Amino acid sequence: MTQSSRFPHINLDKQSSSMLRVFLAAMLSIPDLIKKKRDGGKLNDGDIKSFVEALTSGSIQDCQTGAMLMAIWQQGMDAHETATLTKEMMLSGDVMSWPGEWAGLVVDKHSTGGVGDKVSLVLAPALAACGCKVPMISGRGLAHTGGTLDKLESIPGFSIHQSAEQVRAILSSVGCCIVGQTETLVPADRILYATRDITGTVDSLPLITGSIISKKGAESLTALVLDVKFGRAALYKDLHSAKELAHFLVKAGNELGIRTGAVLSRMDGVIGRSVGNSLEVIEALDLLKGGGQQDLMELVTTLGALLLVMTGLAADQSEGRRKISQAVIGGGALLKFQAMMEAQGVAKETARALCCAHADYFKILRKAKNQLDLTASRDGVLMDMDGLILAEVLHKLGAGRSKAGQPINHSVGAELLLSLGQKITKGTPWLRVHCEEPTPSPDQIQRLQSALVLGSVADWKRQSLVQEVMLPF
Ligand code: IUR
């Protein structure tokens, strides 16, 4: 028996020892890996494995991680490198496992981030009502976009912190849960994401793909649908680049063995009629009670139908849509949402009160001290709303955070008082801003007013949010 000098704690026989020496000689050091990528080379499976292992074991220095990320950002990665990075990131921590009888039924949705995007709050319970198991691992707000976890935390008692065992128990009794990432799930992503954020390397297709799909892989999903947004208020502003991201994501998901499809959806204004954490929970509850906005319902049914088709619970997209609509309109999804709230820590009476037909929402959810109505400065037809401007101002008023861990004000937000295409006259209120102290400055009010896009009737044409559906390869 001999001891390896690189791994002194391992005792090896002669043959294994010489094999290990050959292997270690072929292994590039971290500086060599960085140079290889910097100079446009392709990282092989072993290179990527070494990099991710160095990240997880803590043997890489922060400056080396940053340098490697910048090399990847500049040189890109091909489909095989991206798939390998995704798989190695997934394997850097725990991978969830599910009972055999759920085989084929475990699904999730991921959105690339929007304004007023409360789709998950409706979709997860609707899918559970259709027979799926939905271990939805969501995120917090990022830049100007809102986060599902922040929205749910506006409900008193709701806990997004659930262990793997608790997730399994909730899926078994309810069928869906919406939780935060645990410490042990994809630890490599936590390191990479934090480093990307401070090294100007967030917007890289392979890095975004690795980050998103590795976490979905660790959920051991059967099927995944991605809501890839494009437009003014989206991460990617134009359809072409959003489509490129969708292709990367769909390919990486399918390579991990997850049936993965995508929907390309428009993100210029606001999804539904409200922005802000408590207000969005209210809008989602209204939709679950059969009210709510057409655009929001359209997104929910399109994304849900795709998942039902991919799991075989629907024969085609139109049957899938029918099933999801029925779950929402028929009240099955509302019952699941109520049960999910209770399972995740909300008191029974609170969950019941929020879900009853004539709920007094602000008896339970915090209402902002001030409601300020903005009025139209001229006559016209409401053509559009700049969701980015609205989200940026609300963010500054306390609805979002500028540093991780910063507290946010769940009651801050805004309600659109009119529908797109509606005629308005000068002086008509169009936006109700919910705010605390400080109230919006004159400059912020002017910015909000500039978000209103007025036109003439002749110009108005309803545009579907859903631009394209991309099926698994
Ligand atoms: N969400 C993620 O989970 N990862 C990313 O890289 C981005 C959003 I951008």
Side-chain angles (χ1 to χ4, degrees), residues 129-140:
C130 292
C132 293
K133 298 291 180 188
V134 195
M136 198 174 262
I137 297 180
S138 290
R140 298 202 176 273

Side-chain angles (χ1 to χ4, degrees), residues 110 142 193 196 202 208 211-212 215 235:
H110 178 88
L142 194 68
Y193 197 88
R196 282 166 63 205
V202 168
I208 295 173
S211 169
I212 293 173
K215 286 176 280 194
L235 176 66

Side-chain angles (χ1 to χ4, degrees), residues 34-54:
I34 296 168
K35 279 190 248 164
K36 188 173 177 183
K37 186 37 83 183
R38 180 201 66 187
D39 296 341
K42 288 202 189 320
L43 299 179
N44 63 36
D45 293 1
D47 295 339
I48 294 172
K49 195 175 167 61
S50 306
F51 171 60
V52 175
E53 276 177 3

Side-chain angles (χ1 to χ4, degrees), residues 151-342:
K151 293 169 209 209
L152 285 167
E153 282 183 341
S154 65
I155 304 172
F158 196 100
S159 171
I160 56 117
H161 305 288
Q162 306 289 334
S163 67
E165 290 68 37
Q166 286 168 318
V167 166
R168 252 191 300 276
I170 300 171
L171 290 194
S172 176
S173 59
V174 179
C176 62
C177 61
I178 304 181
V179 300
Q181 196 182 340
T182 63
E183 283 293 307
T184 53
L185 210 77
V186 196
D189 180 58
R190 207 163 309 113
I191 303 164
L192 287 179
Y193 197 88
T195 313
R196 282 166 63 205
D197 204 26
I198 54 170
T199 54
T201 52
V202 168
D203 53 342
S204 146
L205 287 179
L207 296 176
I208 295 173
T209 302
S211 169
I212 293 173
I213 302 296
S214 62
K215 286 176 280 194
K216 298 301 161 189
E219 285 177 49
S220 302
L221 300 176
T222 307
L224 168 67
V225 68
L226 300 149
D227 182 5
V228 182
K229 299 193 175 294
F230 66 96
R232 257 194 315 255
L235 176 66
Y236 282 90
K237 306 295 175 202
D238 63 283
L239 178 61
H240 177 76
S241 43
K243 232 173 172 169
E244 204 183 352
L245 173 63
H247 273 293
F248 259 77
L249 294 168
V250 168
K251 194 159 176 34
N254 283 292
E255 294 220 357
L256 271 192
I258 306 169
R259 270 167 243 155
T260 307
V263 168
L264 285 146
S265 69
R266 216 174 288 282
M267 187 64 258
D268 291 314
V270 168
I271 300 170
R273 58 155 205 263
S274 62
V275 191
N277 297 296
S278 307
L279 294 176
E280 291 189 42
V281 167
I282 294 172
E283 188 175 3
L285 281 163
D286 281 344
L287 189 69
L288 287 165
K289 293 175 192 178
Q293 301 287 299
Q294 196 184 344
D295 59 348
L296 175 58
M297 187 64 176
E298 183 198 4
L299 257 185
V300 170
T301 49
T302 306
L303 293 161
L306 201 48
L307 284 171
L308 293 187
V309 172
M310 288 194 280
T311 52
L313 288 171
D316 54 29
Q317 196 69 12
S318 73
E319 191 193 353
R321 284 175 168 282
R322 230 180 8 261
K323 285 189 164 181
I324 295 286
S325 305
Q326 183 49 37
V328 175
I329 295 162
L334 181 67
L335 290 176
K336 291 289 182 190
F337 190 77
Q338 184 175 340
M340 179 181 82
M341 283 195 282
E342 287 178 26

